[in-house]
Amino acid sequence: MKEFKGIAASDGIAIASAFRLTEPDLSFKKRSITDASDEIKRLYAAIDVSKDELLTIQQRTLEDLGSSEAEVFKAHGAILSDPELLNRIKSTIEKEKVNAEYALTKVTDGYIKIFNSMTDNEYIRQRSSDIRDVTKRVLSHLLRVPLVDPALIHHKVIIIAHDLTPSDTAQFVPSYVLGIVSDMGGRTSHSAIMSRSLEIPAVVGFKGRLADIKNGDTVIVDGSTGNVIVNPTEAQTDEYTQKQADYRQRKSKLADFKHQMTSSSDGKHPIIAANIGTLDDLDGAIENGAEGIGLFRTEFLYMDSNHLPTEDEQFNVYKTVLQKMDKKPVIIRTADIGGDKDLPYLDVPKEANPFLGYRAIRMSLDKPDIFRTQVRALLRASSFGNLSVMFPMITTINELKKAKNIFNQERIKLIREKVRVKPVKIGIMVEVPAAAILADQFANEVDFMSIGTNDLIQYIMAADRGNRMVSYLYQPYNPAVLRMIKHIIDACHDNNLPAYMCGEMAGDQTAIPILVGMGLNEFSMSASSILKSRALIKRLDSREMVTLANKAVTMASASEEVTAFVHQATNNVQ
Ligand code: PEP
Ligand code: MG
């Protein structure tokens, strides 16, 4: 038995066997060969197994996730049947007398380069990421290094990973992936946020302490406390099975709050909305009684695809969200690509500080074709519900004006094309300190602001939100953060604008009393936090919370002091 303590990232308790998700080492050396026909045989054998494997994945993906996801694997199979590609690899082996691994990579790298340079042909460019994936699969068979396909997990497991990308997490089937444990990441890293949306218990930030866990070990994950137990004793298994039952019971009691309007004990009605990244998340949001969508992270549409989503593809998703929310307010954020959300098919140079780099609106304004496609899709969808749009990572007024300009130009074009568009409210994410400080000036340019605390905190405290080494500095209740938030909310209210929050702090049970006291108008959070937050707000008197918030911002530097103070002050109600 071994016990570990990590960062609690997604509530709930899971017990199952470990499944290690490791990035395979596909490195190889260039070798000279003497018998080309043997090498070609080896190549074709690897291609045949890859094709069989792709058929299986295609079938399973079709059953579990749907036809559009399965199409990707069909396209991969088609690449491996392309006679021109195969002939080129074959003749490289014959002419250069080199090993199959080298010939395969040389030829496919050549294709990828050419495709990436054809910037005016989107369809062709999309094929380069398919070729990259297919090359990896064939290489894995040539080198006999197994690839792990998260979509293929078909028994109940706890995933043990060094790092998890949001797209790995998106492929998990929640009925099989019962828990997640990872070395990297903090509570606000995007894979942690996604595990909350999928309601998969998760503990992160183990910094390399998971190396000893083997496939098949029994693992207990307590996503509420951050405890992970490997090969537990019988007594521990019993204890956690009981805790799991208690947790489920508490959760089912909260179901009473599903159809209630959010209301404080003195009759204030802040809105509790949900953050979503996919249509699956939307079902979770509706299931948990969201009063709106406060943040749709549209970059997940781009990340779940192997090509830039077309205008029609995006339009269909936005329209579905608006229709399913049935006139409830929906805020869709334009793509926030960059930071920890990479797009393999978009050739963006690696950066030393991606969170301070080429990201979100910065990229959108630099690649206006991609941005305009998204804006058109949003405007076309506007007539199907109650849509607001916001821009991420706005730092200067000039950026906002440029983004609004493009928005208006596309609106005019659509109206000229006789497409129905409804008025859309425009807002910004306030997540960069420069914008927060100038909130009063931004107020003249927008209809609402939404505070993105995940980024705002990392920039105020100069502490990378995914870096475990500095996670002690990631302090939502630090008075420096609280004062900044109060400043933004006050600036909104002084200018008759509503103030929203869509960072993870909005669903934080210690922060909520303070935010109610500051008069926040909308709390947007992971679906799994909605009901407990609604239950909490129902027990709070907003007038008492004003006093509490005013006191919290004047406290000394320690976050602990604020936490202890809030818990003490709200003890009778929490
Ligand atoms: C935030 O920064 O608080 C936010 C909601 O955006 P994201 O987590 O996608 O960066
Ligand atoms: Mg952000």
Short mmCIF file of all heavy atoms in Angstrom, two decimals, residues 411-443:
data_model
loop_
_atom_site.label_atom_id
_atom_site.label_comp_id
_atom_site.label_asym_id
_atom_site.label_seq_id
_atom_site.Cartn_x
_atom_site.Cartn_y
_atom_site.Cartn_z
N ARG A 411 -21.04 41.40 -39.87
CA ARG A 411 -22.48 41.55 -39.68
C ARG A 411 -23.10 42.25 -40.91
O ARG A 411 -24.10 41.79 -41.46
CB ARG A 411 -22.77 42.38 -38.42
CG ARG A 411 -24.24 42.80 -38.31
CD ARG A 411 -24.40 43.99 -37.40
NE ARG A 411 -24.04 43.64 -36.04
CZ ARG A 411 -24.80 42.89 -35.25
NH1 ARG A 411 -25.97 42.46 -35.69
NH2 ARG A 411 -24.43 42.61 -34.05
N ILE A 412 -22.43 43.34 -41.34
CA ILE A 412 -22.96 44.08 -42.48
C ILE A 412 -22.97 43.20 -43.73
O ILE A 412 -23.96 43.15 -44.48
CB ILE A 412 -22.13 45.38 -42.70
CG1 ILE A 412 -22.39 46.32 -41.53
CG2 ILE A 412 -22.46 46.06 -44.02
CD1 ILE A 412 -21.42 47.46 -41.39
N LYS A 413 -21.87 42.44 -43.92
CA LYS A 413 -21.82 41.56 -45.10
C LYS A 413 -22.98 40.56 -45.08
O LYS A 413 -23.65 40.35 -46.08
CB LYS A 413 -20.50 40.76 -45.09
CG LYS A 413 -19.35 41.49 -45.76
CD LYS A 413 -18.22 40.49 -46.02
CE LYS A 413 -16.91 41.07 -45.55
NZ LYS A 413 -15.87 40.10 -45.32
N LEU A 414 -23.23 39.98 -43.91
CA LEU A 414 -24.30 38.97 -43.81
C LEU A 414 -25.66 39.60 -44.08
O LEU A 414 -26.51 39.01 -44.75
CB LEU A 414 -24.27 38.29 -42.44
CG LEU A 414 -23.18 37.23 -42.28
CD1 LEU A 414 -23.02 36.81 -40.83
CD2 LEU A 414 -23.50 36.00 -43.13
N ILE A 415 -25.86 40.81 -43.53
CA ILE A 415 -27.15 41.47 -43.75
C ILE A 415 -27.34 41.73 -45.25
O ILE A 415 -28.40 41.49 -45.81
CB ILE A 415 -27.25 42.77 -42.91
CG1 ILE A 415 -27.31 42.39 -41.43
CG2 ILE A 415 -28.47 43.60 -43.30
CD1 ILE A 415 -27.21 43.53 -40.45
N ARG A 416 -26.24 42.14 -45.89
CA ARG A 416 -26.32 42.36 -47.36
C ARG A 416 -26.62 41.05 -48.08
O ARG A 416 -27.28 41.04 -49.12
CB ARG A 416 -25.00 42.92 -47.88
CG ARG A 416 -24.84 44.38 -47.54
CD ARG A 416 -23.90 45.08 -48.52
NE ARG A 416 -23.64 46.41 -48.02
CZ ARG A 416 -22.46 46.86 -47.64
NH1 ARG A 416 -21.39 46.10 -47.74
NH2 ARG A 416 -22.34 48.07 -47.16
N GLU A 417 -26.12 39.96 -47.53
CA GLU A 417 -26.38 38.64 -48.15
C GLU A 417 -27.77 38.13 -47.77
O GLU A 417 -28.13 37.00 -48.06
CB GLU A 417 -25.33 37.61 -47.68
CG GLU A 417 -23.95 37.84 -48.25
CD GLU A 417 -22.86 37.04 -47.49
OE1 GLU A 417 -23.16 35.96 -46.95
OE2 GLU A 417 -21.72 37.54 -47.43
N LYS A 418 -28.53 38.96 -47.05
CA LYS A 418 -29.91 38.66 -46.63
C LYS A 418 -29.98 37.50 -45.64
O LYS A 418 -30.92 36.71 -45.60
CB LYS A 418 -30.82 38.33 -47.84
CG LYS A 418 -30.84 39.38 -48.92
CD LYS A 418 -32.24 40.01 -48.99
CE LYS A 418 -32.37 41.14 -49.97
NZ LYS A 418 -31.39 42.19 -49.89
N VAL A 419 -28.92 37.37 -44.84
CA VAL A 419 -28.93 36.34 -43.79
C VAL A 419 -29.50 36.99 -42.53
O VAL A 419 -29.16 38.14 -42.21
CB VAL A 419 -27.51 35.83 -43.51
CG1 VAL A 419 -27.50 34.81 -42.37
CG2 VAL A 419 -26.92 35.22 -44.77
N ARG A 420 -30.35 36.24 -41.81
CA ARG A 420 -30.95 36.81 -40.60
C ARG A 420 -29.94 36.85 -39.46
O ARG A 420 -29.38 35.81 -39.12
CB ARG A 420 -32.13 35.92 -40.20
CG ARG A 420 -33.36 36.75 -39.89
CD ARG A 420 -34.50 35.91 -39.42
NE ARG A 420 -34.85 36.31 -38.08
CZ ARG A 420 -35.32 35.51 -37.16
NH1 ARG A 420 -35.50 34.24 -37.43
NH2 ARG A 420 -35.62 35.97 -35.97
N VAL A 421 -29.68 38.03 -38.92
CA VAL A 421 -28.83 38.09 -37.71
C VAL A 421 -29.54 38.91 -36.65
O VAL A 421 -30.20 39.90 -36.97
CB VAL A 421 -27.43 38.70 -37.99
CG1 VAL A 421 -26.56 37.79 -38.79
CG2 VAL A 421 -27.52 40.05 -38.65
N LYS A 422 -29.41 38.46 -35.40
CA LYS A 422 -30.05 39.20 -34.31
C LYS A 422 -29.00 40.05 -33.60
O LYS A 422 -27.81 39.75 -33.68
CB LYS A 422 -30.65 38.18 -33.32
CG LYS A 422 -32.13 37.98 -33.57
CD LYS A 422 -32.88 37.14 -32.58
CE LYS A 422 -32.48 37.03 -31.16
NZ LYS A 422 -33.25 36.02 -30.44
N PRO A 423 -29.40 41.09 -32.85
CA PRO A 423 -28.40 41.86 -32.10
C PRO A 423 -27.66 40.93 -31.13
O PRO A 423 -28.28 40.06 -30.50
CB PRO A 423 -29.23 42.89 -31.33
CG PRO A 423 -30.55 42.92 -32.01
CD PRO A 423 -30.76 41.60 -32.66
N VAL A 424 -26.36 41.11 -31.05
CA VAL A 424 -25.53 40.26 -30.18
C VAL A 424 -24.81 41.16 -29.19
O VAL A 424 -24.21 42.16 -29.59
CB VAL A 424 -24.48 39.49 -31.03
CG1 VAL A 424 -23.54 38.69 -30.15
CG2 VAL A 424 -25.16 38.59 -32.04
N LYS A 425 -24.87 40.84 -27.91
CA LYS A 425 -24.13 41.63 -26.92
C LYS A 425 -22.66 41.26 -27.02
O LYS A 425 -22.31 40.09 -27.22
CB LYS A 425 -24.64 41.34 -25.51
CG LYS A 425 -26.03 41.86 -25.27
CD LYS A 425 -26.23 42.04 -23.75
CE LYS A 425 -27.58 42.66 -23.46
NZ LYS A 425 -28.68 41.68 -23.52
N ILE A 426 -21.79 42.28 -26.86
CA ILE A 426 -20.35 42.04 -26.98
C ILE A 426 -19.68 42.30 -25.64
O ILE A 426 -19.93 43.31 -24.98
CB ILE A 426 -19.73 42.98 -28.04
CG1 ILE A 426 -20.31 42.70 -29.42
CG2 ILE A 426 -18.21 42.89 -28.05
CD1 ILE A 426 -19.80 41.43 -30.07
N GLY A 427 -18.84 41.36 -25.24
CA GLY A 427 -18.13 41.53 -23.97
C GLY A 427 -16.68 41.11 -24.09
O GLY A 427 -16.24 40.65 -25.14
N ILE A 428 -15.95 41.28 -22.99
CA ILE A 428 -14.56 40.81 -22.98
C ILE A 428 -14.34 39.95 -21.74
O ILE A 428 -15.01 40.09 -20.73
CB ILE A 428 -13.53 41.98 -22.94
CG1 ILE A 428 -13.82 42.93 -21.76
CG2 ILE A 428 -13.51 42.72 -24.25
CD1 ILE A 428 -12.69 43.90 -21.46
N MET A 429 -13.36 39.07 -21.88
CA MET A 429 -12.84 38.38 -20.71
C MET A 429 -11.87 39.37 -20.06
O MET A 429 -11.01 39.92 -20.74
CB MET A 429 -12.00 37.17 -21.12
CG MET A 429 -12.71 36.08 -21.84
SD MET A 429 -13.48 34.94 -20.71
CE MET A 429 -12.13 34.33 -19.74
N VAL A 430 -12.02 39.59 -18.76
CA VAL A 430 -11.02 40.40 -18.08
C VAL A 430 -10.11 39.42 -17.36
O VAL A 430 -10.47 38.83 -16.34
CB VAL A 430 -11.65 41.39 -17.08
CG1 VAL A 430 -10.57 42.28 -16.47
CG2 VAL A 430 -12.69 42.24 -17.78
N GLU A 431 -8.96 39.19 -17.97
CA GLU A 431 -8.05 38.18 -17.43
C GLU A 431 -6.59 38.63 -17.51
O GLU A 431 -5.70 37.92 -17.09
CB GLU A 431 -8.25 36.83 -18.13
CG GLU A 431 -8.27 36.89 -19.64
CD GLU A 431 -8.66 35.56 -20.29
OE1 GLU A 431 -8.68 34.53 -19.60
OE2 GLU A 431 -8.94 35.57 -21.50
N VAL A 432 -6.39 39.82 -18.07
CA VAL A 432 -5.03 40.38 -18.12
C VAL A 432 -5.05 41.60 -17.19
O VAL A 432 -5.97 42.43 -17.28
CB VAL A 432 -4.69 40.83 -19.56
CG1 VAL A 432 -3.33 41.51 -19.61
CG2 VAL A 432 -4.74 39.64 -20.51
N PRO A 433 -4.08 41.71 -16.27
CA PRO A 433 -4.13 42.84 -15.32
C PRO A 433 -4.29 44.20 -15.99
O PRO A 433 -5.00 45.06 -15.46
CB PRO A 433 -2.80 42.71 -14.57
CG PRO A 433 -2.49 41.25 -14.62
CD PRO A 433 -2.98 40.78 -15.95
N ALA A 434 -3.67 44.40 -17.16
CA ALA A 434 -3.78 45.72 -17.82
C ALA A 434 -5.25 46.06 -18.09
O ALA A 434 -5.68 47.21 -17.89
CB ALA A 434 -3.00 45.72 -19.13
N ALA A 435 -6.02 45.08 -18.54
CA ALA A 435 -7.44 45.33 -18.82
C ALA A 435 -8.21 45.51 -17.51
O ALA A 435 -9.14 46.32 -17.42
CB ALA A 435 -8.03 44.19 -19.63
N ALA A 436 -7.82 44.76 -16.48
CA ALA A 436 -8.51 44.86 -15.19
C ALA A 436 -8.35 46.26 -14.62
O ALA A 436 -9.30 46.89 -14.15
CB ALA A 436 -7.96 43.81 -14.23
N ILE A 437 -7.13 46.77 -14.69
CA ILE A 437 -6.85 48.09 -14.12
C ILE A 437 -7.65 49.17 -14.86
O ILE A 437 -8.18 50.10 -14.25
CB ILE A 437 -5.32 48.38 -14.18
CG1 ILE A 437 -4.59 47.44 -13.21
CG2 ILE A 437 -5.01 49.84 -13.82
CD1 ILE A 437 -3.10 47.34 -13.41
N LEU A 438 -7.77 48.99 -16.18
CA LEU A 438 -8.49 49.99 -16.98
C LEU A 438 -9.96 49.60 -17.20
O LEU A 438 -10.57 50.04 -18.18
CB LEU A 438 -7.80 50.17 -18.33
CG LEU A 438 -6.37 50.72 -18.30
CD1 LEU A 438 -5.86 50.95 -19.70
CD2 LEU A 438 -6.32 52.04 -17.50
N ALA A 439 -10.50 48.80 -16.30
CA ALA A 439 -11.88 48.30 -16.49
C ALA A 439 -12.86 49.44 -16.76
O ALA A 439 -13.78 49.31 -17.57
CB ALA A 439 -12.31 47.48 -15.29
N ASP A 440 -12.66 50.59 -16.09
CA ASP A 440 -13.61 51.70 -16.29
C ASP A 440 -13.57 52.20 -17.73
O ASP A 440 -14.60 52.58 -18.29
CB ASP A 440 -13.31 52.85 -15.30
CG ASP A 440 -11.86 53.29 -15.35
OD1 ASP A 440 -10.99 52.44 -15.69
OD2 ASP A 440 -11.59 54.47 -15.09
N GLN A 441 -12.40 52.18 -18.36
CA GLN A 441 -12.33 52.62 -19.76
C GLN A 441 -12.93 51.58 -20.70
O GLN A 441 -13.63 51.92 -21.66
CB GLN A 441 -10.88 52.90 -20.15
CG GLN A 441 -10.33 54.10 -19.40
CD GLN A 441 -8.96 54.50 -19.93
OE1 GLN A 441 -8.53 54.06 -20.99
NE2 GLN A 441 -8.29 55.34 -19.17
N PHE A 442 -12.65 50.30 -20.43
CA PHE A 442 -13.24 49.24 -21.26
C PHE A 442 -14.77 49.27 -21.17
O PHE A 442 -15.46 48.88 -22.10
CB PHE A 442 -12.70 47.87 -20.84
CG PHE A 442 -11.35 47.56 -21.43
CD1 PHE A 442 -10.19 47.81 -20.71
CD2 PHE A 442 -11.24 47.04 -22.71
CE1 PHE A 442 -8.94 47.54 -21.26
CE2 PHE A 442 -9.99 46.77 -23.27
CZ PHE A 442 -8.84 47.02 -22.54
N ALA A 443 -15.27 49.73 -20.02
CA ALA A 443 -16.73 49.73 -19.81
C ALA A 443 -17.45 50.53 -20.90
O ALA A 443 -18.60 50.24 -21.23
CB ALA A 443 -17.05 50.28 -18.43
#
